[in-house]
Amino acid sequence: MRNTIIAIMITVSLVSCSTFDRNNTRDVNLQLVAESAYLLFPIEDNAPEKQVTIQYSGIDEATVNHMRLAEKNIDYWVKMDINNIAGETFTLVVKNADKNIPGIKNIKQSDNFTFEYNETYRPHFHFSPELGWMNDPNGMVYLDGEYHLFYQHNPYGTKWQNMHWGHAVSTDLSSWTYLPDALAPDSLGSIFSGSAVIDVNNTAGFGKNAMVAIYTSAGQVQSQSIAYSTDKGRTFTKYEGNPVIPNPGIPDFRDPKVFWHNESNQWIMSLATKQTITFYGSANLKEWTRLSEFGDGIGSHGGVWECPDLIPLTFAEKIKWVLLVSINPGGPNGGSATQYFIGDFDGKAFTAEALPYPLWLDYGRDNYAGVTWSNIPETDGRKIFMGWMSNWDYANNVPTKNFRSAMTVARELKIKHNGRHLVVSNYPVVETNALRASESVKNDLVVENEALISNLLDTNKGTFELEMTLQPHNAGVFGFMLLNSKGEELEFRFDMTTGFISIHRQKSGLVDFEGRFAAGMNAPLVKKEAYKVRLMVDKASAELFINEGELALTTVFFPTEIMNTLKLYTSSGHVNAGNITIYSIN
Ligand code: FRU
């Protein structure tokens, strides 16, 4: 590892002579020669943000990055790629900073960068960013055997900031290969959420089958921009005519999701506009016409509407259109959640059919901003969804170190009838079955009071699946919990007296990193003779699916020891628990 601290110490003396401000700080200017692949910065999670820019000859406008440079302790390091200026002299400017803080004194160059990837809560079969913060999935598109997943990424810290589009690809929707960030902030702003399409007919003129990303430029105002790739998403060129939709004077104007609508022969964009969704049409992805607006007076309006997705799904041999709308705050259990509407789309406007809105795709507190993949081959035809497995109520404070948060598993969306009304079901894609390594079938149980299965797996690494069928007989409140020897528990409770299912995580391990985390989550439960349960557990997350995704609840939790015991219980009557199967995960 080549390390040029000495060079930094020498050049620190070149700090410019700006005057001190009241905090005894001034701009720190470090003049350096780019000798290695990376510039490494020491970060402290709760230190204040500093504005960091890199200036070198020929750069028009240096991007301002915000970094929590360590002031007392170094919690972790982040890297900035400086290969593009190899051999050149550059100036690193930190605004309003004390040059003696550890976060500046220890900045160094290196060709290597290592860190503890497999930290305690790193998921095993869910996508998580290699390093840094992640929120929404973006630009999900399938091309030539690869599922592309772009995502809101801060490469320079594990809290929300400096939005880039991170990038990963998969051939099976569960193992992912990290690729370099695809889009970085520019003079129009940072890169907020959006989508990607394959321009099969070269409508935009970027080339046949170009991958076109449509995203929000978030600067002084939010506007919509596009960028294209002709090398399967490996590199993108931003369109010189950006923004393609300027801001019309409203603050929340973002998250374009685009698809080709055959019937009206145009691209359709759904865009979140304050607390409505506005639809736009375009022949070429560059010029857009406003078509209609949906959302006034319907659904939940407890917060701003974000990340829409309009998709056709077949039900009873007819096409119905589903509009997904994430909302924050205003979710059914506090903070972030995704509501949906079922109805019709005529190429211009979306109309919702009468249903008991708001309806939620996932009643857990940790499934947000999810949308579906575009360009799935017609022979496949599935609508495949993935969400961000966190909640704005506490996302910035969850107890991980080098990365923050993960995505849900890929789920297939369908319209079903739950016995009361139509729902959009979401259930792990069939590909996830291949993750199962071994299968352990337990004896059927008749649960009166309680029953324990104390050794779910001989070697439990905190990653497993549980399937079972629960049949309540005069049972008022029944359910199951995962337990460990420290008395930590994650409880899944069916309450037939109130007609709710709930998850309780207040005793599930680390909970006090944020006041709003411990509270549980409820979902309305339709009375049925039997509930088919599938629970996917991956270190710090549990995704619960009832009756093949008719109902989904996703939660994160942070146990301090792996939970290898299952307890089933009932307050009255009895519960037959059958087909109890535990799968270890590859
Ligand atoms: C949703 C969201 C989007 C926005 C992005 C910014 O979680 O707020 O509306 O584009 O995150 O990172």
Side-chain angles (χ1 to χ4, degrees):
M1 189 189 281
R2 215 155 19 121
N3 162 337
T4 51
I5 287 191
I6 297 169
I8 292 175
M9 306 241 276
I10 296 164
T11 51
V12 160
S13 59
L14 299 176
V15 289
S16 67
C17 295
S18 55
T19 47
F20 284 99
D21 68 12
R22 247 184 276 130
N23 299 323
N24 212 21
T25 58
R26 59 182 173 182
D27 295 356
V28 176
N29 291 265
L30 304 180
Q31 234 190 44
L32 301 162
V33 176
E35 293 177 334
S36 309
Y38 307 120
L39 200 51
L40 304 186
F41 295 88
I43 306 293
E44 182 175 345
D45 211 26
N46 288 319
E49 286 177 349
K50 296 285 175 210
Q51 290 186 16
V52 180
T53 50
I54 288 199
Q55 286 161 355
Y56 48 92
S57 69
I59 188 169
D60 304 339
E61 199 178 345
T63 306
V64 179
N65 289 300
H66 301 261
M67 296 192 189
R68 294 175 186 271
L69 296 174
E71 299 209 334
K72 292 195 194 86
N73 305 306
I74 300 174
D75 289 332
Y76 59 92
W77 293 74
V78 297
K79 67 171 198 270
M80 183 180 282
D81 199 325
I82 49 169
N83 264 320
N84 60 324
I85 50 169
E88 286 182 44
T89 300
F90 66 95
T91 309
L92 178 75
V93 183
V94 185
K95 271 205 133 353
N96 253 335
D98 174 351
K99 66 178 168 35
N100 293 315
I101 59 170
I104 292 184
K105 275 204 313 211
N106 296 296
I107 293 173
K108 59 188 175 192
Q109 293 192 48
S110 173
D111 283 327
N112 305 303
F113 180 58
T114 52
F115 62 96
E116 193 198 355
Y117 179 81
N118 285 316
E119 55 177 292
T120 315
Y121 299 121
R122 173 72 76 176
H124 178 61
F125 61 94
H126 288 78
F127 180 76
S128 61
E130 185 175 25
L131 191 70
W133 161 272
M134 174 177 82
N135 56 295
D136 316 355
N138 295 149
M140 291 139 80
V141 61
Y142 175 86
L143 181 63
D144 297 341
E146 282 181 332
Y147 295 92
H148 290 261
L149 170 63
F150 300 90
Y151 55 92
Q152 290 285 279
H153 186 214
N154 179 7
Y156 306 129
T158 55
K159 289 191 192 292
W160 184 90
Q161 227 346 325
N162 310 313
M163 282 301 115
H164 289 57
W165 271 26
H167 189 194
V169 287
S170 172
T171 53
D172 62 6
L173 288 165
S174 45
S175 54
W176 296 92
T177 304
Y178 295 118
L179 293 175
D181 280 357
L183 294 169
D186 57 38
S187 60
L188 288 175
S190 52
I191 315 293
F192 273 17
S193 289
S195 49
V197 295
I198 302 303
D199 190 3
V200 179
N201 296 320
N202 195 18
T203 62
F206 299 138
K208 192 170 161 49
N209 290 323
M211 183 185 288
V212 183
I214 307 103
Y215 58 92
T216 298
S217 291
Q220 298 289 347
V221 294
Q222 298 178 352
S223 54
Q224 315 320 316
S225 294
I226 59 176
Y228 62 93
S229 167
T230 50
D231 59 358
K232 302 189 180 189
R234 267 48 182 190
T235 57
F236 277 87
T237 306
K238 288 173 181 154
Y239 172 51
E240 70 277 6
N242 283 340
V244 292
I245 308 186
N247 186 285
I250 59 171
D252 297 306
F253 186 69
R254 57 177 180 265
D255 309 340
K257 180 75 163 76
V258 174
F259 69 98
W260 178 258
H261 185 242
N262 250 332
E263 294 71 15
S264 64
N265 202 33
Q266 63 181 333
W267 297 103
I268 299 288
M269 177 195 291
S270 313
L271 192 70
T273 47
K274 292 201 279 191
Q275 287 195 16
T276 62
I277 302 305
T278 304
F279 298 102
Y280 290 82
S282 172
N284 58 14
L285 296 166
K286 294 172 176 166
E287 286 129 357
W288 293 90
T289 311
R290 188 179 178 286
L291 299 174
S292 63
E293 191 172 343
F294 169 83
D296 260 346
I298 186 168
S300 176
H301 287 269
V304 66
W305 285 23
E306 303 183 314
C307 301
D309 192 5
L310 179 64
I311 48 169
L313 286 174
T314 306
F315 180 72
E317 287 163 30
K318 288 211 182 83
I319 298 285
K320 285 186 184 284
W321 288 83
V322 169
L323 180 63
L324 304 179
V325 177
S326 284
I327 173 170
N328 178 67
N333 293 293
S336 327
T338 301
Q339 61 179 328
Y340 63 82
F341 303 90
I342 302 178
D344 193 26
F345 180 70
D346 62 3
K348 202 164 183 247
F350 173 81
T351 40
E353 58 187 74
L355 284 169
Y357 302 117
L359 294 170
W360 304 95
L361 193 70
D362 187 317
Y363 284 83
R365 290 179 72 197
D366 296 295
N367 182 352
Y368 192 59
V371 290
T372 59
W373 258 273
S374 72
N375 204 45
I376 298 290
E378 262 170 44
T379 47
D380 177 326
R382 288 177 298 172
K383 293 294 173 205
I384 303 172
F385 165 99
M386 187 174 267
W388 171 47
M389 205 152 52
S390 197
N391 187 313
W392 284 115
D393 272 359
Y394 41 76
N396 275 288
N397 296 318
V398 295
T400 50
K401 188 172 169 196
N402 293 292
F403 76 102
R404 268 209 178 92
S405 77
M407 297 298 182
T408 66
V409 289
R411 304 178 183 183
E412 184 179 354
L413 301 186
K414 288 183 182 167
I415 297 181
K416 290 188 182 167
H417 201 288
N418 74 355
R420 273 189 202 149
H421 54 78
L422 294 186
V423 292
V424 176
S425 74
N426 56 124
Y427 196 62
V429 291
V430 66
E431 287 88 334
T432 57
N433 293 351
L435 290 165
R436 295 169 174 176
S438 70
E439 176 179 316
S440 151
V441 181
K442 311 285 179 189
N443 292 335
D444 288 358
L445 294 170
V446 178
V447 183
E448 284 169 343
N449 207 353
E450 59 180 62
L452 276 190
I453 300 179
S454 53
N455 188 28
L456 285 179
L457 288 170
D458 288 339
T459 323
N460 188 337
K461 296 193 179 136
T463 335
F464 59 91
E465 258 196 72
L466 159 68
E467 280 194 329
M468 59 187 170
T469 304
L470 300 178
Q471 282 179 283
H473 296 276
N474 301 319
V477 178
F478 70 96
F480 62 98
M481 30 176 119
L482 297 174
L483 305 168
N484 63 20
S485 74
K486 295 197 166 175
E488 293 166 353
E489 57 187 49
L490 182 66
E491 182 184 354
F492 304 87
R493 188 189 299 168
F494 297 65
D495 189 334
M496 307 310 274
T497 63
T498 58
F500 276 93
I501 182 169
S502 52
I503 300 183
H504 300 267
R505 63 182 180 190
Q506 74 271 29
K507 289 191 255 167
S508 62
L510 306 180
V511 296
D512 55 9
F513 49 85
E514 225 294 341
R516 288 172 291 183
F517 180 77
M521 50 211 92
N522 294 304
L525 180 72
V526 178
K527 241 188 196 156
K528 300 218 162 155
E529 270 174 25
Y531 297 101
K532 205 171 157 226
V533 171
R534 179 173 181 186
L535 184 73
M536 297 182 93
V537 178
D538 190 2
K539 302 277 178 73
S541 66
E543 291 163 279
L544 175 69
F545 303 97
I546 303 291
N547 295 343
E548 256 129 35
E550 232 169 69
L551 195 56
L553 286 97
T554 300
T555 185
V556 296
F557 68 115
F558 301 93
T560 63
E561 181 187 277
I562 279 156
M563 294 182 171
N564 201 27
T565 297
L566 175 69
K567 176 164 133 181
L568 293 126
Y569 66 88
T570 180
S571 65
S572 54
H574 70 271
V575 175
N576 289 345
N579 309 316
I580 309 170
T581 311
I582 317 294
Y583 301 94
S584 66
I585 297 285
N586 264 325

